[in-house]
Amino acid sequence: MQLEAALPVGADPRRHARALAEMREAALAGTALPGPPRAVIGASWQRMRRLGLDPERGAPVPVLVPEQLEARRRQSGLAAVLPALRGGLISLAEQAAHIMAVVDADGRVLWRDGSTAVRRRADALGFVEGVDWHENSAGTNAIGTALVARHPVQVYSAEHYVRNQHDWTCAAAPLHDPRDGRLLGVVDLSGPASTVHPTTLALVDAVAKLAEAHLRTTHLAELERLRGLASPLLTKVRGRAVIADPHGWIAASAGFVPAGRIALPNDVTAGRAWLPTYGNCLLEPLPGGWLVRLTESDDAPPTSVVLDLRSARESTLRVSGAAGAWSHRLSPRHAEMLYVLARHREGRSASELSFDLFGDAGRTVTVRAEMSRMRRHFGGILLARPYRFDDGVEVVVERPADGGEVLPHSVAPAVRA
C-alpha cells in the first residue's frame, strides 16, 4: 500500500490548514464541501457523524487507574517490541518536538515518551497514559483511525474531528502479531501542527515493520525450540501426527506432509476435536505447543458455518457438525472474503472477488493466494472454480446489533451494499 502524507507536496502548511478547517465546518453543517478531504479522512468524518460524536469535546472516557494500566501493558503483547520502538523513534521525537505513544488494539495509550515540552502540551490536551484515543472517543486522529482502517495514517490540523486537536499533527502505523495476524495496537508520533512533515508517516511505518520483524524472529526461535522437543517425541507416535505451537504453526510431523499451518480452535483444550482439513483429531498439550494426532474414524462433514462480524476489532468463523464445534479468529482480509462468498453462494471467480474487495478486477494473484491459504485452513468448507462455500453447509452472517458496518473499512463500497 502506498503511504499518503497529510500535507500535499509543495503545499503551504498554514494555507492547507485553513482549507481543512473550511472542509470540516462544511462537513459538520452538511453543506457542499469547498474541496474533498482525503478518502481516509472523509470516511472517518462520516463515521463520527453517524456516531453523533461531539466535535468540540469528543466523548471522554475515564483514564485507566495505574493497576488497570499495568494489566493492559502485560496483556497487550506490545512490551516485547517496546525497546525496538523506542530505539527507532525516541531520539527523533525529542529532536523534532514530538512524542511517541504505544497504544493497544482498543485505543488505550499504554506508553508515552519523547519531548518534555510536548508531553506537557499533551497533558493539557488529555493525551496521557491510560486514556482512550480510539475514534469513538477522540474522533478522527491517526491512532484511532489507523486502528479502524488497519493501515498507516497521518492526520494534520483540522483533519482531526474534535476541535481541541487542531493544533496537532500525528502519524500512526498498526502493529500486528506475525504469528496469527492479530492487531496488537499502533505506534504513533504526535507533535504541534507546525512540525508536520511528509516523511514522518514513512518513518513510523518503517519502525512498526522493524518491531513486527522482531516478533517474527522471536517466534521462529520459539518454533525451533519446539522442533527440538518434537523430533524425539514423534518417533514414539503411531499413525499420523503433527506438533504445533499454540498458534497452529507446525514444528514437525509424522506419517504425512501437513498442508501448511493447522487451524487450531481459539480456545484449544485437550481432548478430541474436529479440525478443518484434518478431520477428527486428538489434542494433547506439550510445553509450548500441542501434539495433534489424526484419528482413523470417519470424518463427519461440517453442516453449519457462522461468520461472526459483530465486533469491529475481531471477526470469527464458527463451524459445527456431527463431529462437534470449532471456532477460529479471522484476519480482516479473510473476514472480507468470506463475507463476499456468504453473499454470493453461487460463487465468485478470482476476478470478481478482486473487484469486490479492491474495486479492481486485475488483482487476481492476491485473491488466489489468499483463497489458497483459507482453503488450506478451512478444507471441507470452501470450494474452488468458482470460489464458494460448500453447497451442503448452511452459512449464517452475524451483524452488529446497531446495524452498523459489518466489516473492516477497506472493503469496496459495492460489497457493503
Side-chain angles (χ1 to χ4, degrees), residues 12 56 86 128 133 135 215 218 236 256-257 262 271 339 357 399 401 409:
D12 176 78
E56 298 299 321
R86 283 175 169 157
V128 297
W133 218 250
E135 273 194 347
L215 289 175
T218 301
K236 304 174 185 179
F256 75 116
V257 178
I262 191 168
Y339 176 65
L357 296 168
R399 301 165 177 266
H409 300 279

Side-chain angles (χ1 to χ4, degrees), residues 27-30 39-55 59 134-137 139-140 145 148-149 161 312 400 402-411 413 416:
L28 293 177
V40 67
I41 300 301
S44 178
W45 286 356
Q46 290 178 14
R47 290 193 294 272
M48 298 306 95
R49 293 189 67 194
R50 287 197 300 268
L51 185 64
L53 190 74
D54 186 340
H134 196 278
E135 273 194 347
N136 293 352
S137 300
T140 305
T145 305
V148 174
Y161 190 77
D402 61 2
E405 296 185 68
V406 298
L407 286 172
H409 300 279
S410 55
V411 171
R416 299 181 184 282

